[in-house]
Amino acid sequence: MATLDVTACSRWYGNVVAVNDVTMRIGPGITGLLGPNGAGKSTLINLLAGFLPPSAGAVTLDGVPVWKNQEAYRAIGLVPEREATFDYLTGREFVVASAELHGLPDPGAAAARAITTVAMADAQERKVGEYSKGMKQRIKMASALVHDPAVLLLDEPFNGMDPRQRLHLIALLRSMGDAGRTVLFSSHILEEVEQLANHVEVLVAGRHAASGDYREIRRLMTDRPHQYTIVSGDNRALAAALVADRSTAAVSLDGDTLRVEATEFLHFAELLPRVARDAGVRLYEVTPVDESLESVFSYLVQS
Amino acid sequence: MNRTIVRLAARAILGGKRVWLLAALSLVLVAIGVGTAALGSGSSAASLEALQAIAFSTFLPLFGLIVGTGVIGPEIDDGSIVHLLAKPVSRHTIVQSKLAVAVAAILGFAVLPTMVAAVIMGADAATVLAFGVGALAAGAVYCVLFLLLSVVTRHAVIIGLVYALVWESLVGSVIPGARNVSVQQWALSVTASIAPDGVVTANVGVALAWFLIVAVVAVGTWYAGSRLRVLVLASDD
């Protein structure tokens, strides 16, 4: 059992704040680190992995700081986002080297076990430089698992994986989480996090925006106000009909388009066509305005 | 020293295209020996002077730059060093292991060819040994300096090149006072102390030269390990 603690931690580069006063505790089980690109997820993982000193605050593993503490790597397995490995080695040599550097008593056996775990036995004699992105991801995973670490940190592990590899990795991480390991992975895709993590930490623009059960976060995300622009046969009549319903927060007429802000996504999706038909108004265009991930996240920050 | 790191570093530096560049450079060194001997200038002292100028002022700094930065610089640049650093291995051990590979490469590709060239030129045993010891001392110092430079800055190759070309080749030979801080002069002093009188002239006292060589290697190695310990890996966001 291992617990990572991030306490009032900030990290800035010159004038740019990458991680801003974040406090979180990552315990056994699977935690998903969710946030748009550039939110500071990689910076936070580098802080947790001891490759970056916090500018302020502390990052500890079971109470011991990880920065400048190479002994921490006995308990940490890191799967970095960057693809670069030692391309001149075969997959097996790469994992064996990792086992040797950890000082394991039988590096060959440990490497074979880790390679089997990530299902790379068939490709282990090929050069790492010739691997596809998904295969590199898996061999890095084997290298990180070789010493059976209590903590596994993965930076965007699903990038470049095909659906089959993705399912395999999900199953693998699940089994590690069930075994009581502390698994933290980052992603900018909500669905990935939702499938895997029971606990989610959301990072937006360096700030810790939300924390908790994924269902909770999912609800926060889908129940936010949704904006639509609508072009119809009679905008004014439609506006009047819509505003009568509780899920409509605001309507405004803007030339030929009607803008609507709805509070309950599912209810509104069902309401709009029904109201239009009852009012005898023909819908020509219905466009969601702010469905980008960034807008979803920035909504979370405000709430 | 860690055998795994030594093995990895050796494969990194000898496995790629770099090994051909190194082999070509060492062939050039030997070819200079053959060429001078074939031209038959007669005077062995003059040929040795040419070898000394070429090997010590150009080839050794260049080899040092290629292997000293080569054992660690590319890994820092592409981020693969993370796979070495995410291990419970002392950072000093990592530096020492990589340095051992760099010095061994210098020995094989620069020191031995220099000695072979000296033999071809008809130098006596003491002179050949003197060239070997001097070249190895210079090579070791360059390896340490350029490895350290790679850990400290991303622009190690540029800075190293400017140093090798401007400082070692020009300043040291033009400004006499600068010779005390020229690796080349330290190495020549070592060479002069072993070779028969008159073969090589040195501007730095041999005791001071040895002291500086040992000090730079020891302090540089230690400092490179300390800097590697606090190496911050660049992240994309």
Side-chain angles (χ1 to χ4, degrees), chain A residues 38 40-43 46 51-52 67-68 70 73 82 84-86 88-89 93 98 100-102, chain B residues 4-5 7-8 11-12 77-78 82-83 85-91 229-230 232-233 235 237:
Chain A
K41 299 190 297 293
S42 291
T43 302
N46 274 334
F51 286 118
L52 202 58
W67 174 243
K68 289 214 277 191
Q70 75 231 11
Y73 298 113
R82 292 181 80 169
T85 49
F86 305 125
Y88 47 89
L89 298 180
E93 287 168 337
S98 186
E100 288 174 358
L101 290 169
H102 275 292
Chain B
T4 308
I5 297 173
R7 204 179 67 226
L8 292 178
R11 287 189 66 171
D77 282 344
D78 72 12
V82 68
H83 297 290
L85 295 180
K87 303 288 188 295
V89 178
S90 155
R91 278 41 181 155
R229 196 159 167 243
V230 294
V232 166
L233 293 179
S235 67
D237 73 12

mmCIF file of all heavy atoms in Angstrom, chain A residues 38 40-43 46 51-52 67-68 70 73 82 84-86 88-89 93 98 100-102, chain B residues 4-5 7-8 11-12 77-78 82-83 85-91 229-230 232-233 235 237:
data_model
loop_
_atom_site.group_PDB
_atom_site.id
_atom_site.type_symbol
_atom_site.label_atom_id
_atom_site.label_comp_id
_atom_site.label_asym_id
_atom_site.label_seq_id
_atom_site.Cartn_x
_atom_site.Cartn_y
_atom_site.Cartn_z
ATOM 1 N N GLY A 38 -2.324 20.647 -22.067
ATOM 2 C CA GLY A 38 -1.716 21.857 -21.528
ATOM 3 C C GLY A 38 -2.239 22.230 -20.156
ATOM 4 O O GLY A 38 -1.964 23.309 -19.651
ATOM 5 N N GLY A 40 -1.391 20.850 -17.400
ATOM 6 C CA GLY A 40 -0.385 20.626 -16.360
ATOM 7 C C GLY A 40 -0.349 19.178 -15.880
ATOM 8 O O GLY A 40 0.273 18.886 -14.868
ATOM 9 N N LYS A 41 -0.993 18.284 -16.629
ATOM 10 C CA LYS A 41 -1.013 16.871 -16.211
ATOM 11 C C LYS A 41 0.390 16.274 -16.233
ATOM 12 O O LYS A 41 0.796 15.622 -15.282
ATOM 13 C CB LYS A 41 -1.918 16.046 -17.151
ATOM 14 C CG LYS A 41 -3.364 16.491 -17.177
ATOM 15 C CD LYS A 41 -4.228 15.478 -17.920
ATOM 16 C CE LYS A 41 -3.870 15.312 -19.375
ATOM 17 N NZ LYS A 41 -4.133 16.477 -20.230
ATOM 18 N N SER A 42 1.119 16.517 -17.331
ATOM 19 C CA SER A 42 2.473 15.958 -17.417
ATOM 20 C C SER A 42 3.376 16.563 -16.363
ATOM 21 O O SER A 42 4.217 15.873 -15.771
ATOM 22 C CB SER A 42 3.072 16.216 -18.803
ATOM 23 O OG SER A 42 2.394 15.452 -19.757
ATOM 24 N N THR A 43 3.213 17.849 -16.113
ATOM 25 C CA THR A 43 4.011 18.499 -15.080
ATOM 26 C C THR A 43 3.738 17.851 -13.726
ATOM 27 O O THR A 43 4.668 17.541 -12.970
ATOM 28 C CB THR A 43 3.686 20.007 -15.020
ATOM 29 O OG1 THR A 43 3.942 20.568 -16.304
ATOM 30 C CG2 THR A 43 4.531 20.705 -13.983
ATOM 31 N N ASN A 46 5.381 14.495 -13.627
ATOM 32 C CA ASN A 46 6.825 14.653 -13.426
ATOM 33 C C ASN A 46 7.149 15.017 -11.982
ATOM 34 O O ASN A 46 8.170 14.581 -11.439
ATOM 35 C CB ASN A 46 7.384 15.724 -14.369
ATOM 36 C CG ASN A 46 7.736 15.151 -15.727
ATOM 37 O OD1 ASN A 46 8.028 13.966 -15.854
ATOM 38 N ND2 ASN A 46 7.699 15.976 -16.748
ATOM 39 N N PHE A 51 10.934 13.967 -11.028
ATOM 40 C CA PHE A 51 11.770 14.529 -12.090
ATOM 41 C C PHE A 51 11.654 16.040 -12.187
ATOM 42 O O PHE A 51 12.128 16.636 -13.142
ATOM 43 C CB PHE A 51 11.435 13.877 -13.432
ATOM 44 C CG PHE A 51 11.971 12.492 -13.514
ATOM 45 C CD1 PHE A 51 11.134 11.411 -13.673
ATOM 46 C CD2 PHE A 51 13.332 12.275 -13.392
ATOM 47 C CE1 PHE A 51 11.649 10.125 -13.711
ATOM 48 C CE2 PHE A 51 13.851 10.996 -13.430
ATOM 49 C CZ PHE A 51 13.004 9.916 -13.590
ATOM 50 N N LEU A 52 11.022 16.621 -11.218
ATOM 51 C CA LEU A 52 10.813 18.056 -11.226
ATOM 52 C C LEU A 52 10.638 18.473 -9.770
ATOM 53 O O LEU A 52 9.838 17.872 -9.055
ATOM 54 C CB LEU A 52 9.522 18.330 -12.023
ATOM 55 C CG LEU A 52 9.259 19.683 -12.641
ATOM 56 C CD1 LEU A 52 10.367 20.065 -13.594
ATOM 57 C CD2 LEU A 52 7.940 19.627 -13.389
ATOM 58 N N TRP A 67 11.558 14.086 -4.739
ATOM 59 C CA TRP A 67 12.611 14.825 -5.439
ATOM 60 C C TRP A 67 13.977 14.522 -4.825
ATOM 61 O O TRP A 67 14.108 14.490 -3.604
ATOM 62 C CB TRP A 67 12.302 16.322 -5.391
ATOM 63 C CG TRP A 67 13.384 17.205 -5.949
ATOM 64 C CD1 TRP A 67 14.104 18.128 -5.272
ATOM 65 C CD2 TRP A 67 13.838 17.254 -7.306
ATOM 66 N NE1 TRP A 67 14.978 18.748 -6.123
ATOM 67 C CE2 TRP A 67 14.852 18.240 -7.370
ATOM 68 C CE3 TRP A 67 13.494 16.558 -8.474
ATOM 69 C CZ2 TRP A 67 15.529 18.548 -8.560
ATOM 70 C CZ3 TRP A 67 14.166 16.868 -9.652
ATOM 71 C CH2 TRP A 67 15.173 17.856 -9.680
ATOM 72 N N LYS A 68 14.961 14.284 -5.669
ATOM 73 C CA LYS A 68 16.326 13.953 -5.261
ATOM 74 C C LYS A 68 16.378 12.697 -4.385
ATOM 75 O O LYS A 68 17.214 12.569 -3.500
ATOM 76 C CB LYS A 68 16.972 15.123 -4.495
ATOM 77 C CG LYS A 68 17.282 16.304 -5.402
ATOM 78 C CD LYS A 68 18.547 17.033 -4.989
ATOM 79 C CE LYS A 68 18.324 18.028 -3.886
ATOM 80 N NZ LYS A 68 19.508 18.882 -3.694
ATOM 81 N N GLN A 70 16.466 8.905 -5.161
ATOM 82 C CA GLN A 70 16.428 7.823 -6.146
ATOM 83 C C GLN A 70 15.900 6.512 -5.566
ATOM 84 O O GLN A 70 15.429 5.655 -6.291
ATOM 85 C CB GLN A 70 17.814 7.619 -6.767
ATOM 86 C CG GLN A 70 18.811 6.916 -5.886
ATOM 87 C CD GLN A 70 20.130 7.684 -5.783
ATOM 88 O OE1 GLN A 70 20.238 8.836 -6.195
ATOM 89 N NE2 GLN A 70 21.134 7.043 -5.233
ATOM 90 N N TYR A 73 12.381 5.085 -6.433
ATOM 91 C CA TYR A 73 12.061 4.320 -7.646
ATOM 92 C C TYR A 73 11.939 2.825 -7.378
ATOM 93 O O TYR A 73 11.503 2.085 -8.255
ATOM 94 C CB TYR A 73 13.091 4.609 -8.740
ATOM 95 C CG TYR A 73 13.073 6.068 -9.131
ATOM 96 C CD1 TYR A 73 14.144 6.906 -8.872
ATOM 97 C CD2 TYR A 73 11.931 6.608 -9.707
ATOM 98 C CE1 TYR A 73 14.096 8.251 -9.182
ATOM 99 C CE2 TYR A 73 11.865 7.954 -10.018
ATOM 100 C CZ TYR A 73 12.957 8.769 -9.754
ATOM 101 O OH TYR A 73 12.891 10.103 -10.064
ATOM 102 N N ARG A 82 6.632 10.511 -23.452
ATOM 103 C CA ARG A 82 7.544 10.579 -24.597
ATOM 104 C C ARG A 82 7.936 9.186 -25.047
ATOM 105 O O ARG A 82 8.139 8.293 -24.235
ATOM 106 C CB ARG A 82 8.793 11.388 -24.226
ATOM 107 C CG ARG A 82 8.446 12.845 -24.004
ATOM 108 C CD ARG A 82 9.668 13.629 -23.661
ATOM 109 N NE ARG A 82 10.437 13.962 -24.846
ATOM 110 C CZ ARG A 82 11.448 14.824 -24.821
ATOM 111 N NH1 ARG A 82 11.797 15.402 -23.706
ATOM 112 N NH2 ARG A 82 12.105 15.101 -25.919
ATOM 113 N N ALA A 84 10.608 8.186 -26.682
ATOM 114 C CA ALA A 84 12.019 7.842 -26.804
ATOM 115 C C ALA A 84 12.427 6.766 -25.809
ATOM 116 O O ALA A 84 12.204 6.872 -24.607
ATOM 117 C CB ALA A 84 12.867 9.089 -26.612
ATOM 118 N N THR A 85 12.987 5.691 -26.329
ATOM 119 C CA THR A 85 13.568 4.656 -25.492
ATOM 120 C C THR A 85 14.964 4.407 -26.045
ATOM 121 O O THR A 85 15.492 5.232 -26.775
ATOM 122 C CB THR A 85 12.738 3.364 -25.558
ATOM 123 O OG1 THR A 85 12.502 3.079 -26.923
ATOM 124 C CG2 THR A 85 11.446 3.484 -24.815
ATOM 125 N N PHE A 86 15.524 3.260 -25.709
ATOM 126 C CA PHE A 86 16.818 2.922 -26.297
ATOM 127 C C PHE A 86 16.541 2.095 -27.541
ATOM 128 O O PHE A 86 16.430 0.882 -27.490
ATOM 129 C CB PHE A 86 17.682 2.189 -25.278
ATOM 130 C CG PHE A 86 17.839 2.959 -23.995
ATOM 131 C CD1 PHE A 86 17.516 2.414 -22.777
ATOM 132 C CD2 PHE A 86 18.300 4.270 -24.034
ATOM 133 C CE1 PHE A 86 17.648 3.143 -21.611
ATOM 134 C CE2 PHE A 86 18.437 5.004 -22.874
ATOM 135 C CZ PHE A 86 18.111 4.441 -21.656
ATOM 136 N N TYR A 88 18.109 1.055 -29.952
ATOM 137 C CA TYR A 88 19.062 0.061 -30.450
ATOM 138 C C TYR A 88 18.943 -1.271 -29.726
ATOM 139 O O TYR A 88 19.623 -2.226 -30.075
ATOM 140 C CB TYR A 88 20.488 0.607 -30.333
ATOM 141 C CG TYR A 88 20.772 1.238 -28.989
ATOM 142 C CD1 TYR A 88 21.260 0.495 -27.934
ATOM 143 C CD2 TYR A 88 20.516 2.595 -28.779
ATOM 144 C CE1 TYR A 88 21.497 1.071 -26.702
ATOM 145 C CE2 TYR A 88 20.739 3.179 -27.546
ATOM 146 C CZ TYR A 88 21.235 2.417 -26.517
ATOM 147 O OH TYR A 88 21.443 2.985 -25.287
ATOM 148 N N LEU A 89 18.098 -1.331 -28.686
ATOM 149 C CA LEU A 89 17.914 -2.590 -27.957
ATOM 150 C C LEU A 89 16.691 -3.327 -28.485
ATOM 151 O O LEU A 89 15.775 -2.707 -29.022
ATOM 152 C CB LEU A 89 17.704 -2.302 -26.470
ATOM 153 C CG LEU A 89 18.826 -1.624 -25.706
ATOM 154 C CD1 LEU A 89 18.407 -1.424 -24.256
ATOM 155 C CD2 LEU A 89 20.098 -2.443 -25.768
ATOM 156 N N GLU A 93 15.803 -7.005 -24.363
ATOM 157 C CA GLU A 93 17.008 -6.395 -23.776
ATOM 158 C C GLU A 93 16.658 -5.145 -22.972
ATOM 159 O O GLU A 93 17.245 -4.883 -21.917
ATOM 160 C CB GLU A 93 18.001 -6.015 -24.888
ATOM 161 C CG GLU A 93 18.697 -7.209 -25.505
ATOM 162 C CD GLU A 93 19.449 -6.835 -26.779
ATOM 163 O OE1 GLU A 93 19.117 -5.814 -27.419
ATOM 164 O OE2 GLU A 93 20.348 -7.583 -27.152
ATOM 165 N N SER A 98 16.269 -2.892 -17.571
ATOM 166 C CA SER A 98 15.496 -2.246 -16.516
ATOM 167 C C SER A 98 15.524 -3.095 -15.235
ATOM 168 O O SER A 98 15.731 -2.564 -14.133
ATOM 169 C CB SER A 98 14.058 -2.072 -17.014
ATOM 170 O OG SER A 98 13.315 -1.345 -16.100
ATOM 171 N N GLU A 100 17.808 -5.251 -14.381
ATOM 172 C CA GLU A 100 19.166 -5.216 -13.820
ATOM 173 C C GLU A 100 19.401 -3.926 -13.044
ATOM 174 O O GLU A 100 19.997 -3.927 -11.964
ATOM 175 C CB GLU A 100 20.207 -5.329 -14.935
ATOM 176 C CG GLU A 100 20.289 -6.719 -15.546
ATOM 177 C CD GLU A 100 21.221 -6.762 -16.749
ATOM 178 O OE1 GLU A 100 21.769 -5.703 -17.134
ATOM 179 O OE2 GLU A 100 21.383 -7.842 -17.320
ATOM 180 N N LEU A 101 18.929 -2.818 -13.606
ATOM 181 C CA LEU A 101 19.140 -1.533 -12.942
ATOM 182 C C LEU A 101 18.378 -1.460 -11.621
ATOM 183 O O LEU A 101 18.752 -0.719 -10.723
ATOM 184 C CB LEU A 101 18.731 -0.382 -13.863
ATOM 185 C CG LEU A 101 19.659 -0.173 -15.057
ATOM 186 C CD1 LEU A 101 19.059 0.802 -16.058
ATOM 187 C CD2 LEU A 101 21.017 0.321 -14.599
ATOM 188 N N HIS A 102 17.308 -2.236 -11.518
ATOM 189 C CA HIS A 102 16.590 -2.292 -10.250
ATOM 190 C C HIS A 102 17.258 -3.246 -9.271
ATOM 191 O O HIS A 102 16.804 -3.398 -8.137
ATOM 192 C CB HIS A 102 15.137 -2.725 -10.477
ATOM 193 C CG HIS A 102 14.237 -1.582 -10.832
ATOM 194 N ND1 HIS A 102 13.922 -0.585 -9.951
ATOM 195 C CD2 HIS A 102 13.609 -1.257 -11.984
ATOM 196 C CE1 HIS A 102 13.121 0.297 -10.529
ATOM 197 N NE2 HIS A 102 12.927 -0.083 -11.776
ATOM 198 N N THR B 4 25.419 -2.721 -16.330
ATOM 199 C CA THR B 4 24.315 -2.532 -17.266
ATOM 200 C C THR B 4 24.445 -1.191 -17.984
ATOM 201 O O THR B 4 24.267 -1.106 -19.205
ATOM 202 C CB THR B 4 22.975 -2.589 -16.506
ATOM 203 O OG1 THR B 4 22.953 -3.788 -15.743
ATOM 204 C CG2 THR B 4 21.817 -2.570 -17.472
ATOM 205 N N ILE B 5 24.773 -0.149 -17.228
ATOM 206 C CA ILE B 5 24.886 1.175 -17.834
ATOM 207 C C ILE B 5 26.073 1.219 -18.788
ATOM 208 O O ILE B 5 25.997 1.800 -19.876
ATOM 209 C CB ILE B 5 24.998 2.260 -16.741
ATOM 210 C CG1 ILE B 5 23.717 2.267 -15.908
ATOM 211 C CG2 ILE B 5 25.215 3.638 -17.356
ATOM 212 C CD1 ILE B 5 23.765 3.160 -14.702
ATOM 213 N N ARG B 7 27.217 -1.291 -20.475
ATOM 214 C CA ARG B 7 26.819 -2.041 -21.676
ATOM 215 C C ARG B 7 25.910 -1.186 -22.562
ATOM 216 O O ARG B 7 26.094 -1.106 -23.781
ATOM 217 C CB ARG B 7 26.083 -3.307 -21.242
ATOM 218 C CG ARG B 7 26.108 -4.424 -22.264
ATOM 219 C CD ARG B 7 25.375 -5.638 -21.722
ATOM 220 N NE ARG B 7 23.960 -5.391 -21.571
ATOM 221 C CZ ARG B 7 23.243 -5.714 -20.490
ATOM 222 N NH1 ARG B 7 23.830 -6.295 -19.479
ATOM 223 N NH2 ARG B 7 21.961 -5.460 -20.446
ATOM 224 N N LEU B 8 24.941 -0.518 -21.944
ATOM 225 C CA LEU B 8 24.013 0.310 -22.719
ATOM 226 C C LEU B 8 24.749 1.453 -23.400
ATOM 227 O O LEU B 8 24.527 1.744 -24.578
ATOM 228 C CB LEU B 8 22.907 0.872 -21.815
ATOM 229 C CG LEU B 8 21.908 -0.133 -21.244
ATOM 230 C CD1 LEU B 8 20.918 0.586 -20.336
ATOM 231 C CD2 LEU B 8 21.154 -0.853 -22.353
ATOM 232 N N ARG B 11 26.779 0.291 -26.344
ATOM 233 C CA ARG B 11 25.958 0.007 -27.524
ATOM 234 C C ARG B 11 25.431 1.282 -28.151
ATOM 235 O O ARG B 11 25.315 1.386 -29.373
ATOM 236 C CB ARG B 11 24.807 -0.919 -27.144
ATOM 237 C CG ARG B 11 25.297 -2.324 -26.908
ATOM 238 C CD ARG B 11 24.183 -3.289 -26.746
ATOM 239 N NE ARG B 11 23.396 -3.443 -27.969
ATOM 240 C CZ ARG B 11 22.464 -4.376 -28.101
ATOM 241 N NH1 ARG B 11 22.232 -5.197 -27.113
ATOM 242 N NH2 ARG B 11 21.778 -4.466 -29.213
ATOM 243 N N ALA B 12 25.120 2.265 -27.314
ATOM 244 C CA ALA B 12 24.602 3.520 -27.855
ATOM 245 C C ALA B 12 25.661 4.200 -28.702
ATOM 246 O O ALA B 12 25.366 4.745 -29.770
ATOM 247 C CB ALA B 12 24.162 4.436 -26.716
ATOM 248 N N ASP B 77 18.536 14.808 -24.708
ATOM 249 C CA ASP B 77 17.771 15.529 -25.726
ATOM 250 C C ASP B 77 16.451 14.843 -26.041
ATOM 251 O O ASP B 77 15.416 15.500 -26.135
ATOM 252 C CB ASP B 77 18.586 15.652 -27.025
ATOM 253 C CG ASP B 77 19.627 16.752 -26.919
ATOM 254 O OD1 ASP B 77 19.493 17.580 -25.992
ATOM 255 O OD2 ASP B 77 20.545 16.786 -27.741
ATOM 256 N N ASP B 78 16.490 13.523 -26.248
ATOM 257 C CA ASP B 78 15.236 12.862 -26.643
ATOM 258 C C ASP B 78 14.425 12.359 -25.452
ATOM 259 O O ASP B 78 13.340 11.826 -25.618
ATOM 260 C CB ASP B 78 15.495 11.744 -27.669
ATOM 261 C CG ASP B 78 16.181 10.522 -27.063
ATOM 262 O OD1 ASP B 78 16.255 10.423 -25.824
ATOM 263 O OD2 ASP B 78 16.646 9.668 -27.831
ATOM 264 N N VAL B 82 15.232 9.226 -19.058
ATOM 265 C CA VAL B 82 14.268 8.957 -17.984
ATOM 266 C C VAL B 82 14.266 7.471 -17.615
ATOM 267 O O VAL B 82 14.082 7.101 -16.457
ATOM 268 C CB VAL B 82 12.850 9.434 -18.391
ATOM 269 C CG1 VAL B 82 12.272 8.597 -19.504
ATOM 270 C CG2 VAL B 82 11.921 9.408 -17.196
ATOM 271 N N HIS B 83 14.549 6.613 -18.607
ATOM 272 C CA HIS B 83 14.548 5.179 -18.325
ATOM 273 C C HIS B 83 15.758 4.758 -17.485
ATOM 274 O O HIS B 83 15.742 3.714 -16.858
ATOM 275 C CB HIS B 83 14.502 4.377 -19.624
ATOM 276 C CG HIS B 83 13.238 4.616 -20.397
ATOM 277 N ND1 HIS B 83 12.020 4.162 -19.978
ATOM 278 C CD2 HIS B 83 13.000 5.311 -21.530
ATOM 279 C CE1 HIS B 83 11.087 4.542 -20.828
ATOM 280 N NE2 HIS B 83 11.648 5.247 -21.782
ATOM 281 N N LEU B 85 17.108 7.148 -15.269
ATOM 282 C CA LEU B 85 16.972 7.907 -14.023
ATOM 283 C C LEU B 85 15.854 7.375 -13.131
ATOM 284 O O LEU B 85 15.885 7.582 -11.922
ATOM 285 C CB LEU B 85 16.721 9.386 -14.345
ATOM 286 C CG LEU B 85 17.877 10.112 -15.048
ATOM 287 C CD1 LEU B 85 17.515 11.563 -15.313
ATOM 288 C CD2 LEU B 85 19.150 10.036 -14.223
ATOM 289 N N ALA B 86 14.860 6.703 -13.724
ATOM 290 C CA ALA B 86 13.757 6.177 -12.911
ATOM 291 C C ALA B 86 14.158 4.856 -12.263
ATOM 292 O O ALA B 86 13.365 3.926 -12.189
ATOM 293 C CB ALA B 86 12.506 6.005 -13.766
ATOM 294 N N LYS B 87 15.397 4.775 -11.829
ATOM 295 C CA LYS B 87 15.905 3.553 -11.222
ATOM 296 C C LYS B 87 16.652 3.914 -9.934
ATOM 297 O O LYS B 87 17.213 5.009 -9.845
ATOM 298 C CB LYS B 87 16.886 2.849 -12.180
ATOM 299 C CG LYS B 87 16.312 2.514 -13.552
ATOM 300 C CD LYS B 87 15.302 1.378 -13.481
ATOM 301 C CE LYS B 87 14.859 0.906 -14.849
ATOM 302 N NZ LYS B 87 14.121 1.926 -15.609
ATOM 303 N N PRO B 88 16.665 2.998 -8.976
ATOM 304 C CA PRO B 88 17.380 3.309 -7.730
ATOM 305 C C PRO B 88 18.890 3.152 -7.893
ATOM 306 O O PRO B 88 19.523 2.342 -7.233
ATOM 307 C CB PRO B 88 16.811 2.277 -6.745
ATOM 308 C CG PRO B 88 16.405 1.125 -7.603
ATOM 309 C CD PRO B 88 15.985 1.697 -8.918
ATOM 310 N N VAL B 89 19.454 3.930 -8.808
ATOM 311 C CA VAL B 89 20.888 3.865 -9.068
ATOM 312 C C VAL B 89 21.464 5.258 -8.807
ATOM 313 O O VAL B 89 20.886 6.249 -9.238
ATOM 314 C CB VAL B 89 21.159 3.475 -10.540
ATOM 315 C CG1 VAL B 89 22.647 3.446 -10.828
ATOM 316 C CG2 VAL B 89 20.539 2.131 -10.873
ATOM 317 N N SER B 90 22.595 5.300 -8.094
ATOM 318 C CA SER B 90 23.219 6.589 -7.797
ATOM 319 C C SER B 90 23.539 7.325 -9.092
ATOM 320 O O SER B 90 24.026 6.739 -10.052
ATOM 321 C CB SER B 90 24.493 6.360 -6.986
ATOM 322 O OG SER B 90 25.373 7.440 -7.186
ATOM 323 N N ARG B 91 23.256 8.606 -9.104
ATOM 324 C CA ARG B 91 23.534 9.419 -10.295
ATOM 325 C C ARG B 91 25.026 9.493 -10.565
ATOM 326 O O ARG B 91 25.457 9.640 -11.704
ATOM 327 C CB ARG B 91 22.955 10.817 -10.110
ATOM 328 C CG ARG B 91 21.470 10.969 -10.419
ATOM 329 C CD ARG B 91 20.628 9.842 -9.943
ATOM 330 N NE ARG B 91 19.218 10.012 -10.266
ATOM 331 C CZ ARG B 91 18.356 9.028 -10.395
ATOM 332 N NH1 ARG B 91 18.746 7.775 -10.231
ATOM 333 N NH2 ARG B 91 17.098 9.253 -10.667
ATOM 334 N N ARG B 229 21.684 14.590 -10.797
ATOM 335 C CA ARG B 229 20.752 14.319 -9.716
ATOM 336 C C ARG B 229 19.601 15.324 -9.717
ATOM 337 O O ARG B 229 18.486 15.012 -9.301
ATOM 338 C CB ARG B 229 21.525 14.404 -8.391
ATOM 339 C CG ARG B 229 20.813 13.790 -7.244
ATOM 340 C CD ARG B 229 21.751 13.445 -6.124
ATOM 341 N NE ARG B 229 20.949 13.156 -4.944
ATOM 342 C CZ ARG B 229 20.998 13.868 -3.837
ATOM 343 N NH1 ARG B 229 21.828 14.874 -3.730
ATOM 344 N NH2 ARG B 229 20.227 13.557 -2.828
ATOM 345 N N VAL B 230 19.880 16.532 -10.159
ATOM 346 C CA VAL B 230 18.828 17.558 -10.165
ATOM 347 C C VAL B 230 18.426 17.917 -11.592
ATOM 348 O O VAL B 230 17.887 18.984 -11.850
ATOM 349 C CB VAL B 230 19.259 18.828 -9.399
ATOM 350 C CG1 VAL B 230 19.420 18.524 -7.929
ATOM 351 C CG2 VAL B 230 20.546 19.411 -9.953
ATOM 352 N N VAL B 232 16.294 18.418 -14.563
ATOM 353 C CA VAL B 232 14.855 18.583 -14.722
ATOM 354 C C VAL B 232 14.488 18.154 -16.135
ATOM 355 O O VAL B 232 15.039 18.643 -17.112
ATOM 356 C CB VAL B 232 14.453 20.054 -14.468
ATOM 357 C CG1 VAL B 232 13.046 20.304 -14.958
ATOM 358 C CG2 VAL B 232 14.567 20.373 -12.991
ATOM 359 N N LEU B 233 13.582 17.196 -16.219
ATOM 360 C CA LEU B 233 13.178 16.731 -17.539
ATOM 361 C C LEU B 233 12.111 17.672 -18.090
ATOM 362 O O LEU B 233 11.126 17.957 -17.424
ATOM 363 C CB LEU B 233 12.624 15.312 -17.457
ATOM 364 C CG LEU B 233 13.659 14.255 -17.077
ATOM 365 C CD1 LEU B 233 13.002 12.896 -16.992
ATOM 366 C CD2 LEU B 233 14.789 14.226 -18.085
ATOM 367 N N SER B 235 8.962 18.856 -19.910
ATOM 368 C CA SER B 235 7.707 18.201 -20.259
ATOM 369 C C SER B 235 7.013 19.036 -21.323
ATOM 370 O O SER B 235 7.339 20.194 -21.525
ATOM 371 C CB SER B 235 6.815 18.042 -19.038
ATOM 372 O OG SER B 235 6.398 19.302 -18.591
ATOM 373 N N ASP B 237 3.900 20.022 -21.518
ATOM 374 C CA ASP B 237 2.903 21.031 -21.162
ATOM 375 C C ASP B 237 3.290 21.781 -19.894
ATOM 376 O O ASP B 237 4.380 21.578 -19.361
ATOM 377 C CB ASP B 237 1.510 20.417 -21.030
ATOM 378 C CG ASP B 237 1.353 19.569 -19.765
ATOM 379 O OD1 ASP B 237 2.230 19.630 -18.881
ATOM 380 O OD2 ASP B 237 0.372 18.846 -19.678
#
